[in-house]
Amino acid sequence: MLKKGNKLYSIVLGKCPKCHQESMYQNKNPYHLSDTLKMHERCSHCDTKYKIEPSFFYGSMYVSYAVGIAFAVAAFIISNIFLGSSFVVAFASIVGTLIGFMPIIMRLSRNIWINLFMKYDPDLAAKSKP
């Protein structure tokens, strides 16, 4: 399921969308909050520029909304339906989930956004940079 060449591989792992060789982020840990969104300028393997244009990642805010809704629905279903909690507890679990997973949601949204505009190139992946 998560194999190189699959968009899901790049989205979930935060790899370069063109060669899938390098992490796009300077710090792989999204919970290092001062570095959560710090990205490399270019891929060191295929030289892909991540910030295609100024303010490119503003579009990921729209994706972030959808991803946040998905996390909130999942928290509600787990809390209210599976565990049988009250609506107040379910609401608290939604808030806790969104706060706890915010760094992951932000990175996941950026990964989805950039993968909408770039696709995997097996020739770049096979090429070794001199």
Side-chain angles (χ1 to χ4, degrees), residues 56-76:
F56 172 71
F57 286 107
Y58 282 152
S60 70
M61 290 187 296
Y62 297 104
V63 176
S64 178
Y65 180 76
V67 173
I69 294 295
F71 273 73
V73 168
F76 175 78

Side-chain angles (χ1 to χ4, degrees), residues 10-76:
S10 175
I11 291 170
V12 172
L13 299 178
K15 299 290 186 176
C16 172
K18 286 205 173 181
C19 72
H20 293 184
Q21 297 294 324
E22 168 188 277
S23 175
M24 292 188 293
Y25 300 95
Q26 292 177 5
N27 189 336
K28 291 183 182 181
N29 181 1
Y31 287 98
H32 193 265
L33 298 179
S34 63
D35 294 337
T36 296
L37 296 178
K38 287 186 181 173
M39 299 177 73
H40 296 289
E41 184 70 28
R42 295 179 175 275
C43 176
S44 65
H45 184 266
C46 69
D47 206 37
T48 297
K49 185 176 180 183
Y50 296 133
K51 296 175 186 173
I52 298 170
E53 59 188 36
S55 306
F56 172 71
F57 286 107
Y58 282 152
S60 70
M61 290 187 296
Y62 297 104
V63 176
S64 178
Y65 180 76
V67 173
I69 294 295
F71 273 73
V73 168
F76 175 78

